Amino acid sequence: YIKKEVGQNEGTELTTGLQIAKVFCLADNERLYPLLGLYHLSIAKMLKEYLDKGERRVMGFIKPLCHQIVMPASWFALSNLNTPEQFKHACQSVKA
């Protein structure tokens, strides 16, 4: 079980309690990595409803469900590859 922080329930009532985590994502000091995550199949219906409403923001969907797992610092170079230079750096760090 993951302790849920105090939050708002439909914008009117404060609640506390325990919630079973449905999403586990690796995170570094700056961001979550939704592609480096585990997703419980029970969220499929919620995801379909979210998408059917026209929503497309991944972080908007997973953040309330997500338990962050701190990524080892040695993995940082392998986690975000958007340019040929980042890919080259990642390949070099694997060889090391």
Side-chain angles (χ1 to χ4, degrees):
Y1 288 93
I2 305 301
K3 184 175 181 187
K4 185 177 180 180
E5 296 296 322
V6 174
Q8 290 190 333
N9 184 12
E10 299 178 0
T12 59
E13 181 182 339
L14 290 177
T15 60
T16 61
L18 295 177
Q19 173 181 323
I20 298 172
K22 302 290 184 184
V23 177
F24 295 86
C25 287
L26 290 179
D28 63 15
N29 297 328
E30 298 177 21
R31 66 181 66 88
L32 285 174
Y33 291 90
L35 293 177
L36 302 177
L38 296 173
Y39 297 83
H40 196 277
L41 291 176
S42 66
I43 69 168
K45 183 178 177 183
M46 291 185 326
L47 178 58
K48 182 179 182 327
E49 291 170 359
Y50 183 80
L51 294 171
D52 286 347
K53 286 191 259 180
E55 298 289 345
R56 297 294 183 260
R57 294 182 51 221
V58 173
M59 298 309 287
F61 177 75
I62 67 168
K63 230 174 186 181
L65 306 172
C66 189
H67 175 70
Q68 296 181 29
I69 299 172
V70 178
M71 184 184 328
S74 61
W75 293 12
F76 288 2
L78 304 172
S79 62
N80 195 16
L81 308 175
N82 295 315
T83 66
E85 293 79 21
Q86 289 172 327
F87 181 74
K88 184 177 179 180
H89 184 271
C91 291
Q92 291 170 344
S93 71
V94 171
K95 293 177 185 176

